[in-house]
Amino acid sequence: EPRGGFWLRWGGLIQRRPAWAALASTVLLLALAAPALGLRLGASDAGNDPTNRTTRQAYDLLAAGFGSGFNGPLQLAMQLPAGGGAGDLAQLTTALRTTPGVASVAAPQLNPARDAAAIAVYPTTSPQSVATTSLVKHLRNDILPPIANATGTAIFVGGATATQVDFAHVLAGKLPLFIGLVVLLSALLLLIVFRSFVIPLQAAVMNLLSIGAALGVVQAIFERGWLAGLIGVQPGPIEAFIPVMVFAIVFGLSMDYEVFLVSRIHEEWQHRGDATAAVREGVASTGRVITAAAAVMVAVFISFATGDERALKLFGVALATAVFLDAIVIRSILMPAVLELFGRRTWAFPRSFDRRLPRLAIEPAVEPDPALERAA
């Protein structure tokens, strides 16, 4: 079979029905990404460990004996005003015990100077529960401020559980900015290199589709529990760092595939001036390399899911899914179909913009050898 024979036929098949190919692949990616709308960032705990581990057995025994919240108490720290003391602490303790979602409140512990105190508050729900997160917010926003204002006491909610809530909140708040900056800078670079508005736009949208679909699959398996038994995981929140790490790694790999494929298509376009032939030849020349490279990465990432650590399983499934979808669905179907639909308009670029933008090249021009020139 001639080089790229299969991919030539595949490219021709896509180009005969580009609208249907683009629609079908987009619908598939959107369907996979839909569960990501319910993504809840947080932190798993020992309750998600395999049942044969002592950490899980200890967690279950504590939960059975003292309640689910015993595994993740909230630690309240107070700076008492001068002259304050038992009366302020009694008022605070009473308010905490009557708060919905609080199972019990330990006796306050005072320091020797009696100007600071600590109270352990045990929720009724587990540390990873959404109800515990709501309790932390309720205490900080509604219960504690009136008491602090009335008594002049500075009250802080801490502990491992509250720390995880804060960590997830910070990452969730910064994630849109992080994604926006990375996508904007990469789109600007593609705009300068390829002198096209379509290329950076489709790269941004398609990369987000593949990452969104991967997070949707992860949410469905690890949070909703769909097919979770196949890889041996317990449903729970998604680790807060996972979307950041997955986006950074997958976006880098996706851009590698993007530049590799688009460079070949752009080269054919400059050589022939035929948009259809450029897409077909570009896919034929790079399809084997991209799918082979993606297969290696998928095998590496999916191996993470064979261990017992939930975070590694989550990380591996997310990366393997994203790379697979990017190489097979996007680079092999959606992107060729979209470029075929745009045709020559893919490379339309105003001359005024072209003159003002700097010149960048993926590969530097080959300079003539001075020795050969002298010999000639």
Side-chain angles (χ1 to χ4, degrees):
E1 184 179 30
R3 184 178 65 87
F6 168 79
W7 291 101
L8 277 173
R9 294 194 299 273
W10 178 258
L13 178 64
I14 296 297
Q15 288 177 329
R16 283 196 292 271
R17 294 290 187 272
W20 285 106
L23 179 62
S25 54
T26 301
V27 169
L28 172 62
L29 292 171
L30 290 176
L32 292 175
L37 296 176
L39 194 69
R40 182 171 71 89
L41 301 182
S44 57
D45 52 37
N48 298 113
D49 290 347
T51 55
N52 60 350
R53 285 195 177 184
T54 57
T55 53
R56 173 64 183 276
Q57 294 167 5
Y59 181 96
D60 290 342
L61 285 173
L62 289 173
F66 301 97
S68 299
F70 193 82
N71 286 291
L74 305 177
Q75 300 293 337
L76 269 63
M78 289 141 287
Q79 184 177 3
L80 301 174
D88 295 340
L89 291 177
Q91 180 182 354
L92 175 61
T93 302
T94 301
L96 290 172
R97 285 174 177 162
T98 56
T99 299
V102 173
S104 62
V105 179
Q109 300 293 319
L110 285 165
N111 67 336
R114 305 188 69 82
D115 58 359
I119 299 178
V121 178
Y122 296 92
T124 58
T125 50
S126 65
Q128 62 179 277
S129 172
V130 65
T132 303
T133 301
S134 299
L135 175 62
V136 172
K137 295 178 180 179
H138 182 50
L139 290 175
R140 288 173 170 171
N141 298 332
D142 304 319
I143 302 299
L144 299 180
I147 299 175
N149 293 333
T151 61
T153 303
I155 308 173
F156 306 95
V157 181
T161 301
T163 299
Q164 292 295 342
V165 171
D166 294 339
F167 181 62
H169 176 73
V170 170
L171 285 186
K174 299 297 183 182
L175 187 59
L177 177 62
F178 169 63
I179 292 176
L181 285 176
V182 172
V183 171
L184 179 62
L185 291 176
S186 61
L188 180 60
L189 180 60
L190 291 176
L191 176 70
I192 295 173
V193 171
F194 294 112
R195 290 322 204 247
S196 168
F197 290 115
V198 174
I199 294 300
L201 181 61
Q202 65 81 24
V205 172
M206 292 181 190
N207 286 342
L208 291 177
L209 277 175
S210 65
I211 295 169
L215 293 178
V217 171
V218 162
Q219 198 271 352
I221 294 175
F222 289 85
E223 189 174 336
R224 297 176 184 241
W226 298 355
L227 305 178
L230 295 179
I231 56 176
V233 294
Q234 297 287 333
I238 305 302
E239 304 294 333
F241 68 90
I242 290 294
V244 177
M245 295 296 296
V246 168
F247 176 81
I249 296 173
V250 171
F251 195 86
L253 293 173
S254 298
M255 288 304 297
D256 284 345
Y257 300 153
E258 172 78 16
V259 171
F260 187 55
L261 176 55
V262 174
S263 296
R264 189 67 184 92
I265 295 174
H266 188 238
E267 181 182 343
E268 287 292 332
W269 162 254
Q270 291 181 319
H271 180 66
R272 298 187 180 193
D274 185 340
T276 297
V279 173
R280 185 172 60 250
E281 291 294 333
V283 172
S285 300
T286 62
R288 183 180 299 178
V289 177
I290 289 176
T291 52
V296 173
M297 298 307 298
V298 168
V300 171
F301 292 142
I302 205 66
S303 67
F304 295 167
T306 60
D308 292 333
E309 294 295 331
R310 186 176 188 272
L312 278 181
K313 286 177 179 286
L314 205 159
F315 192 62
V317 171
L319 290 177
T321 303
V323 171
F324 176 82
L325 292 174
D326 190 87
I328 302 301
V329 178
I330 290 180
R331 306 304 159 196
S332 301
I333 302 175
L334 181 57
M335 183 177 171
V338 169
L339 295 187
E340 176 65 20
L341 290 173
F342 276 96
R344 300 177 64 88
R345 290 170 293 178
T346 301
W347 310 107
F349 200 69
R351 292 184 178 179
S352 58
F353 278 29
D354 185 58
R355 289 193 299 267
R356 295 174 183 175
L357 293 177
R359 291 282 175 180
L360 296 177
I362 299 299
E363 297 181 359
V366 179
E367 298 181 358
D369 190 343
L372 294 177
E373 288 184 345
R374 289 194 298 268

